[in-house]
Amino acid sequence: MPKLHRPAVSVYTVPTDAPEADGTLAWDTTTVVIAEVTTREATGTGWTYGPAAVADFLSDHLAPLVQGRSALDIPAVHARMSRAVRNAGRPGIAACAISALDIALWDLKARLLELPLTRLLGAARDAVPVYGSGGFTTYHDTHLAAQLGGWVHGQHIPRVKMRIGEAWGRAVPRDLARIRAARQVIGDDAELYVDAGGAYTRKQAVRVGRTLAEYGVGWFEEPVSSDDLTGLRLVRDALVCDVTAGEYGYDLPYFGRMIAAGAVDCLQIDATRCGGVTEFLRAAAVAQAHGLEVSAHGAPHAHAAVAAAVPNLRHVEWFHDHVRVESMFFDGALDPTGGTVRPAAGVGHGLTLRAEEIAEYRVA
């Protein structure tokens, strides 16, 4: 039985290629925490996006729990980590640390068995739909047009998402002008999604949402805070477009509460936050039991294989920042041309870390 060595952890910070913001947050760097787990035979790699404190927590609190455990018994290791963070608090830093390790463990197990991760999990589909995601509120009109048009007309991705809710919902006329411009750029046939980042009040979101319908917007992400389940339900009931949320789900009960509240039409899940591949599969099963599809949030290369294994998947977010980082950091990056990716190549998740090439971005 292959035994796990103590995980290695590293932190990298990459500047964005332009200033970025959504309705409630602005940033100019992306930080990724990478976990590597090894046995004598192979190495598995996982990652999450979050502060360097995630790496400290992973090294100090989780790594000793993993060392010496069976590399094949991932549910046991996952349960051990989850129980150990009770007093530290599961949501946030602890959940991101668990997620990075869990993703690495699944990659390692597939490599030990010399299988693509998709085959180890069991594929429900060969091709995984993606949607282009960016359109930040800081982009000027030509930048927005170039990005959205590049996805739709250049790479033939038939669905794209942009950010609205600028300045905590205090710039609605500009939000609507940008949506109008986006529809003109991508044409009538492509799907247009918007993400307000929780910036609007309840009734404000309803008013904006009714205008969105004029431009064929079919996806309204976080029209109000994802913590406001009553508000999400109110907006959902009032609009024809799908209301979505879930990216800040750090454990399974979170998704249970969101579903029970009738808050969303499609549940978003992020494997780099919720507890890795293990918890992604569980959350997707809970959603399917309630007749809901799921969509993977961000980190597309961390999601491709598990997304292929989920029967009720709608799509994976091809998020601009994470695509840049993952394409820089790994050999084996996927090609979304045509609107799908195929994650069954190679062993594990199919990616190999370019440690030497990315050394300039390492901060810990």
Side-chain angles (χ1 to χ4, degrees):
M1 188 73 69
K3 298 295 184 181
L4 296 166
H5 300 159
R6 188 181 180 94
V9 188
S10 52
V11 183
Y12 300 82
T13 296
V14 180
T16 58
D17 56 1
E20 296 178 355
D22 57 20
T24 55
L25 192 67
W27 61 95
D28 57 13
T29 61
T30 299
T31 297
V32 56
V33 177
I34 294 179
E36 296 173 276
V37 291
T38 61
T39 64
R40 286 184 298 178
E41 299 85 1
T43 298
T45 305
W47 66 98
T48 187
Y49 294 93
V54 173
D56 295 334
F57 188 89
L58 197 161
S59 296
D60 295 343
H61 297 279
L62 300 184
L65 302 175
V66 172
Q67 186 173 2
R69 311 297 294 184
S70 167
L72 301 181
D73 296 332
I74 298 175
V77 178
H78 191 280
R80 187 177 176 87
M81 292 190 294
S82 298
R83 292 177 186 136
V85 302
R86 185 195 70 179
N87 289 353
R90 171 66 182 263
I93 286 172
C96 289
I98 291 172
S99 300
L101 272 176
D102 185 85
I103 293 167
L105 289 167
W106 279 102
D107 180 41
L108 173 62
K109 182 173 181 177
R111 291 175 189 271
L112 288 169
L113 298 176
E114 299 182 348
L115 289 171
L117 180 53
T118 300
R119 299 304 171 204
L120 174 62
L121 297 172
R125 60 178 53 78
D126 293 326
V128 176
V130 302
Y131 68 89
S133 173
F136 303 107
T137 59
T138 44
Y139 281 5
H140 50 70
D141 290 347
T142 54
H143 193 164
L144 178 68
Q147 186 182 69
L148 300 187
W151 282 322
V152 173
H153 305 301
Q155 293 183 288
H156 305 289
I157 300 173
R159 55 196 80 85
V160 293
K161 185 174 80 180
M162 59 184 290
R163 272 63 185 174
I164 62 172
E166 183 177 350
W168 285 89
R170 293 191 290 269
V172 170
R174 184 167 188 266
D175 289 339
L176 299 180
R178 293 175 66 248
I179 292 165
R180 187 182 310 115
R183 174 53 75 190
Q184 292 173 348
V185 167
I186 67 174
D188 294 333
D189 295 331
E191 296 179 47
L192 180 59
Y193 302 166
V194 298
D195 178 358
Y200 296 131
T201 64
R202 295 176 180 183
K203 289 298 183 67
Q204 186 183 29
V206 171
R207 291 191 294 271
V208 170
R210 287 175 175 162
T211 304
L212 296 180
E214 299 174 17
Y215 301 103
V217 175
W219 171 283
F220 196 176
E221 184 174 329
E222 290 191 351
V224 298
S225 170
S226 56
D227 292 328
D228 182 9
L229 300 183
T230 301
L232 286 170
R233 176 61 185 266
L234 183 154
V235 176
R236 181 191 179 202
D237 287 346
L239 300 179
V240 295
C241 62
D242 284 354
V243 169
T244 70
E247 66 184 76
Y248 299 111
Y250 292 107
D251 57 21
L252 198 58
Y254 174 98
F255 299 111
R257 291 191 296 271
M258 182 165 278
I259 292 170
V264 295
D265 295 291
C266 181
L267 183 69
Q268 293 178 278
I269 316 172
D270 189 332
T272 71
R273 292 174 178 168
C274 74
V277 172
T278 299
E279 208 80 333
F280 189 102
L281 291 170
R282 293 169 180 169
V286 173
Q288 187 172 18
H290 290 82
L292 291 178
E293 290 183 318
V294 300
S295 177
H297 170 267
H301 292 90
H303 284 116
V306 67
V310 172
N312 56 322
L313 178 85
R314 185 176 298 192
H315 41 43
V316 170
E317 182 177 18
W318 196 254
F319 179 51
H320 173 68
D321 286 2
H322 295 175
V323 169
R324 281 188 67 235
V325 169
E326 292 164 11
S327 297
M328 292 165 58
F329 278 36
F330 297 107
D331 289 323
L334 299 169
D335 180 2
T337 300
T340 63
V341 294
R342 297 178 178 270
V347 294
H349 50 44
L351 303 175
T352 303
L353 186 66
R354 299 169 173 163
E356 293 184 7
E357 291 90 336
I358 61 174
E360 64 181 292
Y361 300 111
R362 185 164 181 174
V363 294

